[in-house]
């Protein structure tokens, strides 16, 4: 019994020592981040979000000791969001022949040299935290939301594509598909404030363009219509909401603030602030005088309010 009590006491002391060590490095990292901000390398939003993430990770480490080592290695040991994200993506996407250290260097270089890339990442974090009721913290989004992680990896692959490093960009596309079950061609252009909710089965083609503050649910396809080349994929306006399982094919335009219902199949343009539902899709309210949306569905995440005014909906 005395030996067991001694082992228990040592374990308790080690645990509290580890917690104090985490606290020390957390405060050290905050000081480093503040100094970096003073040098003009970080903007206020990035610093604020990173401070929140560190505080959340520290709280979670104290509440769940089993995660303390994981949270330390992925978040608390890093001095910036770009370092933490690069480390996490490198580990998530690595393989036996594509090493995590190599990926870490690629990601960190991309984020460190591109403030627009970092601003988009922060906007995506905010979008997920605000729009997804299941998201309880920024740190949970950073660590566990594969839609967010897939989108950040795509941003780097798109940057590499534009730098004519296309074999590497395509390799990252393949790893995104393998690990996150999301297939985004590296040439596709994606704005900021993007929510890929659940994300499984999302397919976005080469010439697709997605605006800002767009929300897309799982099993959405932004595809072509066959073997035609050239500009052949959808153009999604700002503030659009695309419901689960929707399919949008061809070089069609989805207007700003429009809503595409779950399971809809869209082959022609959808006007701004209207709702398209069904297969083939039709406008709620009719083609001549479609019902107009007052909110921005990509931000409100309102999927079903139109049904109460749709006379054809009968059970």
């Amino acid at each position: 019994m005395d030996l067991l009590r001694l082992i228990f006491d040592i374990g308790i002391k080690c645990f509290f020592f580890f917690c104090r060590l985490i606290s020390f490095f957390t405060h050290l990292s905050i000081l480093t981040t503040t100094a970096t901000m003073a040098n003009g390398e970080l903007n206020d939003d990035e610093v604020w979000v990173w401070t929140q993430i560190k505080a959340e990770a520290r709280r979670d480490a104290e509440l769940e000791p089993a995660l303390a080592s994981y949270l330390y290695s992925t978040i608390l040991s890093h001095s910036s969001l770009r370092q933490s994200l690069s480390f996490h993506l490198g580990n998530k996407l690595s393989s036996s022949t594509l090493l995590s250290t190599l990926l870490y260097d690629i990601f960190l270089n991309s984020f460190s040299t591109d403030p627009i890339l970092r601003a988009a990442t922060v906007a995506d974090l905010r979008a997920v935290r605000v729009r997804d009721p299941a998201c309880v913290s920024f740190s949970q989004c950073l660590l566990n939301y594969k839609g967010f992680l897939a989108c950040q990896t795509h941003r780097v692959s798109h940057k590499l594509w534009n730098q004519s490093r296309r074999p590497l960009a395509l390799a990252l596309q393949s790893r995104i598909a393998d690990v996150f079950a999301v297939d985004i061609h590296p040439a596709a252009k994606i704005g900021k404030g993007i929510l890929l909710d659940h994300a499984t089965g999302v397919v976005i083609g080469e010439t697709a363009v997605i605006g800002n503050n767009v929300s897309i649910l799982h099993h959405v396809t932004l595809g072509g219509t066959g073997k035609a080349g050239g500009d052949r994929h959808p153009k999604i306006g700002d503030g659009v909401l695309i419901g689960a399982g929707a399919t949008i094919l061809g070089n069609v335009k989805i207007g700003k603030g429009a809503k595409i219902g779950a399971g809809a199949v869209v082959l022609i343009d959808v006007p701004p602030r209207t709702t398209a539902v069904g297969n083939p899709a039709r406008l709620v309210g009719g083609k001549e005088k479609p019902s107009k949306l007052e909110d921005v569905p990509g931000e409100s995440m309102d999927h079903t309010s139109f049904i109460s005014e749709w006379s054809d909906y009968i059970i």
Side-chain angles (χ1 to χ4, degrees):
M1 285 296 293
D2 291 340
L3 180 60
L4 290 175
R5 182 173 295 175
L6 178 63
I7 293 173
F8 178 77
D9 289 341
I10 292 174
I12 290 294
K13 289 179 181 178
C14 288
F15 169 71
F16 283 110
F17 172 77
F18 186 71
C19 288
R20 286 195 294 270
L21 191 65
I22 290 176
S23 177
F24 170 76
F25 280 107
T26 299
H27 289 296
L28 181 63
S29 178
I30 290 174
L31 291 174
T32 303
T33 301
T34 304
T36 304
M37 181 179 65
N39 290 332
E41 295 181 14
L42 300 176
N43 61 39
D44 291 342
D45 277 349
E46 188 176 350
V47 171
W48 184 87
V49 168
W50 178 236
T51 302
Q52 294 297 309
I53 290 172
K54 299 276 278 194
E56 292 164 359
R58 184 182 178 189
R59 175 203 64 200
D60 291 345
E62 293 174 351
L63 291 174
E64 184 50 79
L67 291 176
S69 177
Y70 169 64
L71 291 168
Y72 177 76
S73 63
T74 52
I75 293 177
L76 295 172
S77 65
H78 301 284
S79 62
S80 65
L81 175 59
R82 72 189 77 165
Q83 290 180 351
S84 174
L85 179 59
S86 298
F87 176 85
H88 191 43
L89 289 177
N91 281 308
K92 282 278 189 181
L93 297 168
S94 64
S95 68
S96 59
T97 54
L98 199 58
L99 301 182
S100 60
T101 51
L102 171 65
L103 291 175
Y104 173 77
D105 289 340
I106 292 168
F107 289 128
L108 185 59
N109 179 68
S110 296
F111 287 118
S112 297
T113 59
D114 193 339
I116 295 176
L117 207 63
R118 299 199 304 273
T121 296
V122 172
D124 293 347
L125 278 167
R126 287 183 175 274
V128 178
R129 183 69 180 90
V130 170
R131 296 179 212 161
D132 186 352
C135 184
V136 297
S137 66
F138 289 107
S139 61
Q140 289 301 314
C141 175
L142 172 65
L143 294 175
N144 302 325
Y145 277 53
K146 67 178 185 178
F148 168 79
L149 295 172
C151 191
Q152 306 324 302
T153 309
H154 165 74
R155 295 190 188 285
V156 173
S157 72
H158 181 69
K159 183 179 178 70
L160 294 170
W161 182 269
N162 289 336
Q163 293 174 340
S164 296
R165 301 177 69 182
R166 297 190 173 183
L168 180 55
L170 291 168
L172 283 181
Q173 177 194 3
S174 177
R175 292 303 296 156
I176 296 171
D178 290 343
V179 175
F180 301 126
V182 176
D183 194 349
I184 310 175
H185 194 283
K189 300 176 182 177
I190 298 180
K192 62 182 182 179
I194 303 300
L195 168 60
L196 299 182
D197 195 1
H198 298 287
T200 300
V202 168
V203 176
I204 301 174
E206 178 182 7
T207 60
V209 178
I210 299 174
N212 299 322
N213 302 315
V214 172
S215 294
I216 299 175
L217 273 79
H218 50 286
H219 290 292
V220 165
T221 297
L222 306 181
T225 56
K227 294 183 67 175
D231 193 358
R232 61 194 184 280
H233 295 101
K235 310 297 180 285
I236 311 299
D238 295 346
V240 168
L241 171 61
I242 306 178
T247 300
I248 307 173
L249 300 178
N251 186 15
V252 299
K253 295 181 180 179
I254 309 301
K256 182 177 180 179
K259 183 191 302 184
I260 310 299
V265 176
V266 181
L267 302 175
I268 59 176
D269 293 353
V270 175
R273 293 194 174 275
T274 61
T275 302
V277 296
N279 179 8
R282 59 195 185 279
L283 297 179
V284 172
K287 184 176 180 179
E288 299 302 323
K289 293 184 179 180
S291 300
K292 290 289 185 175
L293 300 169
E294 295 181 0
D295 64 350
V296 179
E299 298 178 12
S300 70
M301 301 297 291
D302 179 6
H303 290 270
T304 62
S305 64
F306 65 90
I307 291 179
S308 62
E309 301 175 1
W310 188 18
S311 60
D312 290 343
Y313 186 72
I314 301 173
I315 295 177

